[in-house]
Amino acid sequence: MIRTILISIFLSLLGASLIFFWMGDLADLNQLFRLKNWAIFTSLGLLLLSYLAGASRLVVLARLMGKRINFLRAVRAYILGLFSAAVTPSGSGNAIAIAFSLQRDGLKPPTAWSITIYTSVLDLLFFAWSAPLALLILGLTQKNSYSQLLLWVALPTGLLLLGLWYLLAFRLSWLNNFVATVFSLQFIKRWQRPALRFVKQLTVATATMTSGSLSSHLLLQLATMLLHLSGYAILFVFAVSLGAKLTLWSTLAIVLLVSILSYMIPTPGGSGYLEFAVSFMFVQQSSASIITPAVLAWRGFSYYLNLILGPLLGGPILAKSLSGSQLKDPSAD
């Protein structure tokens, strides 16, 4: 785990350095020591809002399943998921840590995993409507040769994400044939029955959550929006604090689109890619001497702080969930 964190730090600094060598110089890192107090406290507030929104989703989803979980424990589960995502390729450890934490708090494995997976359904729905909106905002506000291209990309992007959301929310039963085919291989065939049982339980649980009231789903989507946008807004706060001339909505739009692509980057927490890509997108509007330190500060709050909070809130839980040594069979009743 320590090796992964060191690699992540190295990649982050490498991504930022590429922008500095290209557009500025390393001496500009002194900007990090000129951050205003109001910016630091505002960013901490936005980060807390993101944590509370993430925990709220877990609480609401548990209630849709007829279960109750303590809100503070939900906050812990959410932060542990962020930590696990930060130290695993493409954030793949997020679901394991949250599911294991929910199991430790009394939920049965199928319920814990269903809630965890359904958070991805909520994220997909959010991206399905927010990504095209972000592209439209940039296409209408950015005066460059790419504006019209962004407008044409908006619709197919939204349709693709909407299709993925529909499959996970309403057609999860398609996994039955896929799982049956995969587990028909001789060396894993003995696990076919429990795997199919888990998919069936997951499908039933997902249908239960999907059939919840309209108000519940609006609340979940509001929490999802706050979760993501409050984290993105931290960059805007730091950039403005250092003197950048940015607008809030275009900043949120750019960070949203870059962050969506980060899920396909195999580095821990998108390290290296996010620092470079976000800086690159904004140096067209402001100096690299301002933008890149703001990006590093943003990553420090929204990413590296989770590397501290995670072990403090649940070191033993994380060790077991990441190793998988104590993780219950998700198909168990």
Side-chain angles (χ1 to χ4, degrees), residues 10 52 70 150 188 240 284:
F10 170 76
L52 296 179
N70 180 277
L150 291 175
I188 57 173
V240 170
Q284 313 300 322

Side-chain angles (χ1 to χ4, degrees), residues 186-324:
Q186 192 63 37
F187 64 98
I188 57 173
K189 192 171 184 177
R190 58 177 175 171
W191 291 301
Q192 185 183 63
R193 184 172 297 177
L196 288 173
R197 184 166 63 248
F198 172 62
V199 171
K200 181 180 179 180
Q201 293 168 334
L202 185 63
T203 302
V204 172
T206 301
T208 301
M209 288 183 283
T210 302
S211 62
S213 65
L214 177 61
S215 59
S216 295
H217 287 288
L218 289 176
L219 179 61
L220 286 168
Q221 199 56 208
L222 175 62
T224 302
M225 181 179 69
L226 289 175
L227 181 162
H228 290 286
L229 295 187
S230 57
Y232 303 156
I234 293 175
L235 173 60
F236 175 77
V237 171
F238 282 138
V240 170
S241 171
L242 293 176
K245 304 298 182 181
L246 303 179
T247 61
L248 176 60
W249 293 114
S250 62
T251 300
L252 294 178
I254 289 174
V255 180
L256 168 69
L257 295 172
V258 173
S259 297
I260 290 175
L261 293 177
S262 71
Y263 290 105
M264 296 182 288
I265 304 300
T267 60
S271 298
Y273 158 76
L274 278 171
E275 286 80 7
F276 177 81
V278 174
S279 296
F280 174 78
M281 292 295 291
F282 283 107
V283 292
Q284 313 300 322
Q285 305 176 42
S286 188
S287 169
S289 63
I290 295 176
I291 290 300
T292 306
V295 170
L296 289 175
W298 165 62
R299 287 288 281 167
F301 270 66
S302 63
Y303 174 72
Y304 285 104
L305 191 57
N306 296 323
L307 300 180
I308 299 174
L309 293 177
L312 288 177
L313 291 175
I317 295 177
L318 285 168
K320 291 180 179 179
S321 63
L322 290 177
S323 67

Side-chain angles (χ1 to χ4, degrees), residues 58-293:
L58 299 178
V59 171
V60 173
L61 288 173
R63 289 183 178 177
L64 288 177
M65 296 286 292
K67 308 294 181 181
R68 289 186 177 273
I69 54 176
N70 180 277
F71 187 80
L72 291 179
R73 291 183 176 180
V75 172
R76 182 184 66 178
Y78 177 70
I79 294 177
L80 292 182
L82 292 177
F83 173 85
S84 184
V87 297
T88 52
S90 303
S92 56
N94 177 269
I96 296 175
I98 293 179
F100 189 82
S101 183
L102 293 178
Q103 289 178 46
R104 285 288 298 268
D105 291 333
L107 295 184
K108 292 183 178 181
T111 302
W113 277 97
S114 298
I115 291 173
T116 302
I117 292 175
Y118 204 82
T119 59
S120 297
V121 174
L122 296 173
D123 288 335
L124 276 173
L125 179 58
F126 169 70
F127 293 144
W129 65 262
S130 63
L133 181 60
L135 288 167
L136 286 171
I137 290 174
L138 295 179
L140 295 172
T141 60
Q142 303 297 306
K143 304 302 181 182
N144 53 52
S145 58
Y146 298 105
S147 297
Q148 293 301 314
L149 176 62
L150 291 175
L151 291 173
W152 282 104
V153 171
L155 181 59
T157 300
L159 291 175
L160 174 62
L161 293 171
L162 194 62
L164 291 174
W165 164 76
Y166 179 78
L167 285 175
L168 286 176
F170 298 100
R171 291 291 182 267
L172 199 58
S173 56
W174 66 270
L175 276 176
N176 280 309
N177 293 333
F178 176 76
V179 170
T181 301
V182 170
F183 281 85
S184 64
L185 298 175
Q186 192 63 37
F187 64 98
I188 57 173
K189 192 171 184 177
R190 58 177 175 171
W191 291 301
Q192 185 183 63
R193 184 172 297 177
L196 288 173
R197 184 166 63 248
F198 172 62
V199 171
K200 181 180 179 180
Q201 293 168 334
L202 185 63
T203 302
V204 172
T206 301
T208 301
M209 288 183 283
T210 302
S211 62
S213 65
L214 177 61
S215 59
S216 295
H217 287 288
L218 289 176
L219 179 61
L220 286 168
Q221 199 56 208
L222 175 62
T224 302
M225 181 179 69
L226 289 175
L227 181 162
H228 290 286
L229 295 187
S230 57
Y232 303 156
I234 293 175
L235 173 60
F236 175 77
V237 171
F238 282 138
V240 170
S241 171
L242 293 176
K245 304 298 182 181
L246 303 179
T247 61
L248 176 60
W249 293 114
S250 62
T251 300
L252 294 178
I254 289 174
V255 180
L256 168 69
L257 295 172
V258 173
S259 297
I260 290 175
L261 293 177
S262 71
Y263 290 105
M264 296 182 288
I265 304 300
T267 60
S271 298
Y273 158 76
L274 278 171
E275 286 80 7
F276 177 81
V278 174
S279 296
F280 174 78
M281 292 295 291
F282 283 107
V283 292
Q284 313 300 322
Q285 305 176 42
S286 188
S287 169
S289 63
I290 295 176
I291 290 300
T292 306

